[in-house]
């Protein structure tokens, strides 16, 4: 069938600079650049280009540039180019449109409508270069009160397991198989160096990475891939994955081509078979089932690890979170509509779920109204782009955040949204050995460490500016936030005042 | 007609919290001997420029020995009806031993003075219904302060009392004729609010039961301190950070029964780095306190003098962004924003020192003299 899809990008090759070295041919995994044998010249099949910039950045003479094809349709606010092209694509394929990464739709980004406070006159700002500034956070269930013996000051209360993180930023679930072993290695090493945690995602943990167990969150998802006693016991925190912000309500599908021998061994499935994660966990059809799985995991690990439950932020997130807390979870991870994925139906990625900012506010408020906020730690995920977003999430009520996309961007990802193709030219979201070696775990870890270090320095500056020297004084402290350009209802749900008020 | 004029409201502009800077003074005879208010009035007056005439007040312990077993309620009334309603409520729930107008000196020029009354009360056993009397009293205080328009309980402890208003502390002292009273422990406060036109109830000391707090500073963690306390049923109606301190102390020490040393480590905890260096058991305690009560850390610049029957404590934030000097002379123990104020009333001191940030200085009644306890042994950031 002849395709009616126009090219998306133009690959501009400056003939004065191009030395015909074929680097771009080798770097492009989307089969764009090639040597035309007849003309003996490097050319491009522009229709395949996804705009990932791999060739641009590796071209030794910087001869390449990628531009959007300036192909104009007649203006139409309703039938926009993307909508037309999605229909064309579907008319030609007859299937669900798949995509990768988080939604690219313009859902309101409340981070950009929230501004932070700073000290002036009546209290001094604190200079983090001169004064201690503490970001340490303990994840886990807290009791309502402590019992301390008078006189001896002996602590009589035994606390549930607590996990300290030195920066309030964890690496979000990225499963081995969806991403390569080198990405996992980079994340694990960076988490270890920065005193935080990385999340295995639902594909298990490669034995080679068990040594990073103290900095690992081991996920248990609906497919139960790679879940066995060693796996459960090696991690620091266990996470039951109920949902994901990019695709609430549906499962996952790792195509057989990505299931290499190593992936197969880790996931405990035959090589080359599709790894299908069912939409629900088939042993959890209700909240009391969740309570059972939580206690089963605790039992299996002898009550040494906090158990987290990750849900996609949906309409009733507040009520669901309350149920999760009461079901015995120690941590609730909320993943908002802008959260990313290795592969998801585009229509679901772009339309299902709610923005994380509103979910954090609603959940934190509800848990406080019910007097159980201290029973769980709250981790927010889904579209955290910089340290400003992190600090706003914490002020709204989160204990910490997960970053996924931002971490991948640190590794080279340009958010080209081709993760589902398995061809990621940056070697991140692929198991093609030719591509995965593009991530060097030493360099990858360094880039991630640098990112977290930069963000934590910025968070310290902002905290000091607000006149506090410990992160817990900002957590849930919405008085340090003000809204700009928000409606009364939005302000009410966020629990913040309008700027100027 | 219900009067809602600006001068009778705390935080009338609904700011996040009431911001103020202040002078503090506290003095205690640890042998329990009572003394008049003469010296503390001179001392607080000596720090006149630290306040701006919009708030001053005093707390006195050992004040009502004749009625020592009764809750002494001090009330402000903005109108007559408020008094009628309040007295109805009090009579319904308490046995009222005495009701009288608090004597004042009408020759002292103060503005917006409300009606000032005091009552000596004992909860009716029937109303208590088996509950602890203190809980019942708190509930009634909150009920009056939130539900009766124009009435405000500003003192509710036993054998102690708070006197305060919107004027310089020395004028408040003259107005209430404090030189005529005697107690073994006095605290005083001069206030420099930035957003209150001068509601009498907004002055310090802030009181609940026999706890009083005088406070200099701005709690930048107020937003979360308040939300945390709300989880435990404390309604922060005054929107001041001082109120939050009083409730935090009540929650930690009365309801959760934490020893003072542990409670202090919640309000001004050691840094994680210091905690790592503590011996194992101590480390576990401090880590647990911070982990569980992190939302009650008072962050931002502050000095407080917290007092209750038989005990007075001075504390600054953990990097000491507001001043505090402590001193002793014989059985006398002093706390002050400025050493000069102490020297004014007691030129010869056994010892005068500036406590470390976050390190409480505590004076207790009884055989022991002043205990200067370092709940946190290690030196804090700023010295
Ligand atoms: S490497 Fe990426 S940007 Fe370059 S041609 Fe290929 S798809 Fe396009
Ligand atoms: S991970 Fe790879 S394929 Fe996915 S968006 Fe990033 S660069 Fe593109």
């Amino acid at each position: 069938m002849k395709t009616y899809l126009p090219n998306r990008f133009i690959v501009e090759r400056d003939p004065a600079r191009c030395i015909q070295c074929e680097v771009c041919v080798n770097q492009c995994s989307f089969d764009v650049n090639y040597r035309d044998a007849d003309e003996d010249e490097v050319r491009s099949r522009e229709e395949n280009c996804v705009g990932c910039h791999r060739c641009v950045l590796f071209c030794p003479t910087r001869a390449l540039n990628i531009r959007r094809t300036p192909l104009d349709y007649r203006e139409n606010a309703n039938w926009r180019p993307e909508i037309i092209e999605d229909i064309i694509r579907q008319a030609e394929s007859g299937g669900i449109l798949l995509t990768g990464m988080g939604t690219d739709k313009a859902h309101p980004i409340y981070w950009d409508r929230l501004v932070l406070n700073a000290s002036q006159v009546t209290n001094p700002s604190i200079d983090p270069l001169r004064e201690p500034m503490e970001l340490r956070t303990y994840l886990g269930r807290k009791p309502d009160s402590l019992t301390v013996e008078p006189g001896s000051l002996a602590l009589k209360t035994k606390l549930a397991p607590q996990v300290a993180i030195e920066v309030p930023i964890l690496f979000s679930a990225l499963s081995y198989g969806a991403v390569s072993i080198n990405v996992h290695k980079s994340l694990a090493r960076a988490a270890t160096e920065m005193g935080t945690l990385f999340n295995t995602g639902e594909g298990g943990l490669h034995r080679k990475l068990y040594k990073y167990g103290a900095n690992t969150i081991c996920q248990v998802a609906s497919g139960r891939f790679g879940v066995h006693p060693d796996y459960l016991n090696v991690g620091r925190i266990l996470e039951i994955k109920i949902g994901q912000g990019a695709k609430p309500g549906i499962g996952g599908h790792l195509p057989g081509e990505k299931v290499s021998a190593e992936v197969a061994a880790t996931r405990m499935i035959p090589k080359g078979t599709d790894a299908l994660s069912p939409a629900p966990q088939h042993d959890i059809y209700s909240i009391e089932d969740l309570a059972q799985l939580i206690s089963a995991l605790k039992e299996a690990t002898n009550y040494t690890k906090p158990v987290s439950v990750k849900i996609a932020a949906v309409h009733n997130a507040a009520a669901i979170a309350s149920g999760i807390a009461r079901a015995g979870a120690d941590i609730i991870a909320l993943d908002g509509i802008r959260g990313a994925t290795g592969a998801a139906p585009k229509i679901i990625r772009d339309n299902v779920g709610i923005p994380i900012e509103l979910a954090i506010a609603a959940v934190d408020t509800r848990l406080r109204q019910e007097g159980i906020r201290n029973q769980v730690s709250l981790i927010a995920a889904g579209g955290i782009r910089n340290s400003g977003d992190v600090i706003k999430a914490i002020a709204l009520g989160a204990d910490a955040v997960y970053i996924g996309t931002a971490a991948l961007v640190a590794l080279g990802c340009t958010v080209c949204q081709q993760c589902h193709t398995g061809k990621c030219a940056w070697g991140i979201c692929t198991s093609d050995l030719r591509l995965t070696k593009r991530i060097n775990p030493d360099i990858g870890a360094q880039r991630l460490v640098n990112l977290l270090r930069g963000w934590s320095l910025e968070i310290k500056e902002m905290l000091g500016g607000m006149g506090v020297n410990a992160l817990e004084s900002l957590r849930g402290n919405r008085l340090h936030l003000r809204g700009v350009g928000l409606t009364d209802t939005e302000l009410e749900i966020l629990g913040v005042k309008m700027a100027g008020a | 007609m219900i009067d809602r004029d600006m001068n009778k409201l705390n935080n009338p502009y609904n700011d996040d919290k009431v911001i103020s800077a202040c002078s503090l003074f506290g003095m205690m005879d640890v042998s329990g001997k009572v003394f008049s208010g003469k010296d503390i009035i001179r001392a607080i007056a000596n720090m006149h420029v630290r306040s701006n005439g919009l708030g001053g007040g005093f707390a006195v312990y050992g004040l009502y020995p004749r009625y020592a077993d009764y809750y002494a309620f001090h009330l402000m009334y903005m109108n007559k009806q408020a008094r009628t309603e309040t007295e109805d409520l009090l009579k319904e729930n308490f046995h009222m031993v005495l009701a009288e107008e608090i004597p004042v000196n009408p020759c002292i020029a103060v503005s917006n003075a409300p009606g000032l009354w005091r009552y000596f009360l004992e909860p009716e056993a029937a109303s208590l219904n088996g509950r602890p009397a203190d809980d019942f009293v708190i509930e009634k205080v909150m009920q009056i302060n939130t539900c009766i328009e124009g009435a405000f309980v500003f003192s509710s402890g036993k054998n102690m009392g708070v006197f305060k208003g919107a004027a310089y502390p020395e004028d408040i002292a003259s107005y209430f004729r404090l030189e005529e009273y005697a107690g073994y422990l006095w605290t005083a406060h001069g206030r420099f609010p930035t957003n209150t036109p001068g509601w009498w109830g907004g002055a310090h000391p802030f009181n609940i039961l026999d706890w009083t707090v005088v406070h200099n500073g701005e709690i930048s963690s107020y937003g979360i301190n308040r939300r945390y306390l709300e989880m435990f049923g404390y309604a922060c109606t005054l929107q001041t950070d001082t109120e939050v301190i009083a409730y935090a102390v009540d929650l930690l020490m009365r309801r959760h029964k934490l020893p003072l040393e542990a409670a202090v480590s919640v309000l001004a905890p050691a840094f994680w780095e210091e905690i790592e260096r503590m011996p194992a058991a101590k480390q576990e305690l401090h880590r647990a306190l911070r982990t569980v009560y992190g939302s009650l850390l008072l962050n931002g610049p502050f000095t407080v003098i917290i007092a209750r029957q038989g005990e007075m404590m001075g504390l600054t934030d953990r990097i000491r962004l507001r001043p505090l000097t402590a001193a002793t002379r014989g059985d006398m123990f002093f706390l002050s924003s400025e050493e000069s104020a102490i020297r004014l009333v007691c030129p010869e001191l056994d010892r005068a020192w500036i406590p470390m940030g976050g390190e409480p200085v505590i004076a207790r009644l009884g055989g022991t003299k002043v205990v200067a306890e370092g709940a946190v042994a290690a030196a804090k950031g700023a010295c």
Side-chain angles (χ1 to χ4, degrees):
Chain A
M1 199 188 296
K2 166 159 176 57
T3 180
Y4 296 164
L5 284 173
N7 295 358
R8 292 200 134 184
F9 296 98
I10 298 169
V11 181
E12 281 181 349
R13 185 173 286 100
D14 182 347
R17 290 188 174 198
C18 178
I19 52 170
Q20 302 291 318
C21 69
E22 292 184 33
V23 165
C24 59
V25 177
N26 295 325
Q27 289 298 322
C28 180
S29 51
F30 292 91
D31 203 21
V32 176
N33 305 315
Y34 67 102
R35 174 170 292 270
D36 185 313
D38 298 341
E39 303 288 337
D40 194 26
E41 193 181 52
V42 174
R43 298 238 168 121
S44 301
R45 298 183 194 94
E46 292 182 322
E47 64 275 20
N48 291 341
C49 178
V50 300
C52 75
H53 297 178
R54 181 77 191 180
C55 58
V56 174
L57 288 157
F58 279 77
C59 171
T61 59
R62 294 275 154 137
L64 288 169
N65 190 27
I66 307 291
R67 284 201 300 131
R68 197 77 169 88
T69 309
L71 174 63
D72 293 328
Y73 294 79
R74 179 172 285 272
E75 302 75 23
N76 192 316
N78 197 21
W79 297 97
R80 299 183 297 274
E82 186 197 355
I83 289 176
I84 295 172
E85 288 169 19
D86 277 354
I87 291 176
I88 296 173
R89 200 170 286 121
Q90 245 165 342
E92 293 171 4
S93 72
I96 289 175
L97 290 180
L98 286 182
T99 186
M101 274 291 139
T103 183
D104 51 14
K105 298 294 161 294
H107 293 291
I109 299 173
Y110 288 98
W111 305 133
D112 297 339
R113 301 283 180 86
L114 291 168
V115 289
L116 293 161
N117 195 21
S119 306
Q120 300 288 297
V121 181
T122 56
N123 63 348
S125 41
I126 303 169
D127 183 349
L129 295 175
R130 291 160 204 270
E131 308 276 355
M133 191 60 67
E134 302 185 306
L135 301 186
R136 184 185 295 182
T137 303
Y138 278 87
L139 301 175
R141 170 172 293 252
K142 320 281 189 290
D144 287 346
S145 64
L146 288 177
T147 307
V148 178
E149 206 172 69
S152 74
L153 292 184
L155 179 65
K156 293 289 166 202
T157 314
K158 187 149 171 30
L159 257 59
Q162 304 286 325
V163 174
I165 47 174
E166 300 300 333
V167 286
I169 305 162
L170 310 106
F171 296 124
S172 207
L174 295 153
S175 73
Y176 173 44
V179 298
S180 70
I181 187 76
N182 287 343
V183 172
H184 256 205
K185 256 187 214 162
S186 306
L187 293 166
R189 287 185 196 170
T192 305
E193 187 170 338
M194 291 304 290
T196 182
L197 300 133
F198 90 107
N199 188 316
T200 59
E202 57 180 298
L205 182 66
H206 197 289
R207 292 257 174 200
K208 273 196 230 157
L209 301 186
Y210 273 28
K211 57 175 181 253
Y212 302 109
N215 296 84
T216 306
I217 298 175
C218 290
Q219 209 177 55
V220 176
S222 61
R224 295 287 198 277
F225 297 118
V227 177
H228 51 84
D230 289 354
Y231 170 74
L232 295 179
N233 279 293
V234 78
R236 194 68 185 280
I237 292 176
L238 302 176
E239 182 170 273
I240 299 170
K241 178 197 173 181
I242 300 293
Q244 184 178 343
K247 43 180 174 179
I250 66 163
H253 177 187
L254 186 72
E257 308 87 76
K258 280 182 123 178
V259 181
S260 63
E262 302 265 292
V263 170
T266 304
R267 292 204 173 214
M268 305 193 302
I269 52 171
K271 186 177 167 222
T273 53
D274 288 5
L276 293 164
S277 299
Q281 303 232 2
H282 279 300
D283 51 0
I284 302 178
Y285 282 6
S286 171
I287 191 80
E288 69 270 21
D289 296 341
L290 175 70
Q292 285 189 37
L293 182 59
I294 292 171
S295 59
L297 291 178
K298 288 188 176 177
E299 191 72 32
T301 52
N302 203 17
Y303 300 89
T304 55
K305 298 169 203 304
V307 172
S308 162
V309 174
K310 178 180 177 179
I311 57 164
V314 290
H315 303 348
N316 296 324
I320 298 164
S322 159
I324 294 173
R326 292 173 197 283
D330 306 300
I331 299 169
I332 299 174
L334 288 169
D335 194 7
I337 191 170
R338 296 190 305 271
T341 174
K346 188 165 183 276
I347 201 77
I348 288 176
R349 184 196 73 172
D350 293 345
N351 292 289
V352 183
I354 65 172
I356 188 62
E357 302 90 329
L358 302 176
I360 302 170
V363 168
D364 178 69
T365 301
R366 174 70 68 90
L367 296 179
R368 282 180 194 283
Q369 282 165 351
E370 298 189 7
I372 55 173
R373 175 63 183 86
N374 54 315
Q375 294 189 8
V376 283
S377 299
L378 208 57
I379 306 179
I384 307 278
R385 304 159 302 171
N386 53 41
S387 59
D389 295 354
V390 176
I391 206 161
K392 289 170 191 174
I394 290 171
L396 280 178
D399 289 86
V401 302
Y402 270 137
I403 58 166
T405 306
L408 296 189
V409 170
L411 292 176
C413 164
T414 51
V415 199
C416 70
Q417 306 183 41
Q418 300 304 308
C419 325
H420 60 296
T421 62
K423 291 189 198 164
C424 175
W426 289 89
I428 296 166
C429 211
T430 173
S431 53
D432 178 337
L433 296 178
R434 195 176 62 91
L435 298 174
T436 58
K437 64 172 189 247
R438 292 180 178 186
I439 297 289
N440 172 328
D442 289 333
I443 299 171
Q446 190 57 54
R447 297 182 75 98
L448 291 166
V449 164
N450 288 345
L451 179 75
L452 290 192
R453 191 162 286 148
W455 286 17
S456 48
L457 289 172
E458 290 172 348
I459 291 172
K460 288 178 177 182
E461 290 287 347
M462 287 184 274
L463 275 184
M466 285 182 262
V468 301
N469 56 12
L471 194 62
E472 60 253 49
S473 297
L474 185 71
R475 190 183 312 129
N477 192 344
R478 300 185 190 169
L479 289 182
H480 281 297
L481 294 172
R482 286 292 193 270
V484 283
L486 295 174
T487 66
D488 284 356
T489 313
E490 286 167 317
L491 292 168
E492 192 189 318
I493 292 170
L494 290 167
V496 301
K497 291 191 198 173
M498 181 73 189
Chain B
M1 198 193 82
I2 289 166
D3 196 346
R4 262 269 177 228
D5 104 32
M6 292 281 254
N7 289 326
K8 290 167 189 170
L9 270 179
N10 198 45
N11 203 350
Y13 306 109
N14 196 25
D15 291 332
D16 286 350
K17 63 191 166 204
V18 173
I19 297 169
S20 59
C22 317
S23 55
L24 310 179
F25 199 88
M27 57 195 288
M28 175 176 184
D29 189 320
V30 294
S31 73
K33 239 188 345 267
V34 297
F35 52 91
S36 92
K38 210 176 89 230
D39 279 346
I40 197 167
I41 297 166
R42 281 208 300 146
I44 199 80
N46 192 50
M47 299 186 280
H48 184 86
V49 291
R50 298 185 73 92
S51 55
N52 67 356
L54 292 179
F58 297 80
V60 197
Y61 289 81
L63 177 68
Y64 298 127
R66 261 187 75 192
Y67 300 100
D69 295 333
Y70 299 96
Y71 289 95
F73 274 36
H74 289 187
L75 269 119
M76 294 180 183
Y77 296 122
M78 314 311 157
N79 53 57
K80 241 192 156 145
Q81 199 200 332
R83 180 153 78 90
T84 320
E85 281 179 44
T86 306
E87 289 183 351
D88 286 349
L89 183 143
L90 291 177
K91 280 178 198 145
E92 233 171 82
N93 293 283
F94 296 91
H95 165 57
M96 198 182 279
V97 188
L98 178 72
E100 65 176 4
E101 220 167 329
I102 299 177
V104 295
N105 179 351
C107 301
I108 303 297
V110 290
S111 46
N112 302 315
L116 295 157
W117 281 70
R118 68 183 158 207
Y119 306 88
F120 294 92
L121 307 163
E122 184 179 22
E124 294 287 1
S127 333
L128 276 185
N129 209 356
R131 292 163 57 202
D134 282 353
D135 285 356
F136 177 78
V137 169
I138 290 188
E139 184 190 296
K140 292 302 149 200
V141 169
M142 302 251 169
Q143 192 180 338
I144 295 170
N145 289 353
T146 52
C147 304
I148 302 183
E149 195 74 51
F152 183 68
V153 184
F154 64 103
S155 190
S156 55
K158 287 179 182 172
N159 198 14
M160 57 81 61
V162 166
F163 303 90
K164 63 182 185 181
Y168 282 106
E170 55 272 28
D171 296 336
I172 289 297
S174 309
Y175 187 67
F176 280 102
R177 298 161 50 180
L178 293 188
E179 292 197 20
E180 298 167 28
Y181 291 94
Y184 66 88
L185 190 177
W186 289 69
T187 65
H189 190 261
R191 187 155 181 258
F192 196 136
T194 59
N195 65 348
T196 312
W199 178 59
W200 279 50
H204 297 205
F206 186 84
N207 161 275
I208 188 78
L209 298 173
D210 73 341
W211 288 109
T212 57
V213 179
V214 288
H215 163 224
N216 169 19
E218 181 181 342
I219 308 293
S220 309
S221 54
Y222 173 74
I224 186 55
N225 301 147
R226 174 186 172 149
R227 292 185 79 211
Y228 182 79
L229 288 165
E230 279 168 357
M231 262 181 33
F232 292 90
Y234 294 91
C236 299
T237 49
L238 289 183
Q239 290 181 284
T240 81
D241 26 17
T242 316
E243 181 184 33
V244 148
I245 299 172
Y247 294 160
V249 170
D250 184 66
L251 176 75
L252 294 171
M253 295 191 57
R254 191 177 60 82
R255 284 175 59 187
H256 291 177
K257 302 197 168 46
L258 290 185
L260 182 63
E261 295 79 354
V264 163
S265 301
V266 168
L267 305 180
F271 289 100
W272 289 118
E273 229 179 74
E274 294 162 357
I275 294 176
E276 300 309 329
R277 290 197 296 264
M278 293 174 180
K282 199 170 169 193
Q283 206 180 99
E284 196 197 339
L285 171 72
H286 282 254
R287 190 179 298 126
L289 287 169
R290 261 193 95 165
T291 309
V292 173
Y293 293 111
S295 300
L296 279 185
L297 191 169
L298 301 177
N299 215 320
F302 74 83
T303 302
V304 282
I305 300 176
I306 300 175
R308 65 170 162 173
Q309 211 60 257
E311 194 165 59
M312 173 165 82
M313 179 188 73
L315 179 72
T316 63
D317 62 272
R318 42 194 208 143
I319 56 174
R320 213 186 55 226
L321 296 169
R322 289 286 155 92
L324 178 69
T325 299
T328 58
R329 173 70 179 178
D331 282 335
M332 288 304 295
F333 173 64
F334 300 93
L335 290 169
S336 175
S337 299
E338 296 175 8
E339 188 176 329
S340 59
I342 305 176
R343 297 269 178 199
L344 178 75
V345 297
C346 186
E348 294 300 318
L349 294 168
D350 297 340
R351 190 178 163 219
W353 76 101
I354 293 173
M356 298 304 257
E359 188 182 294
V361 214
I362 304 164
R364 289 196 176 109
L365 263 192
T368 49
K369 294 210 170 175
V370 174
V371 233
E373 281 175 43
V376 182
K380 298 280 185 167
C383 299

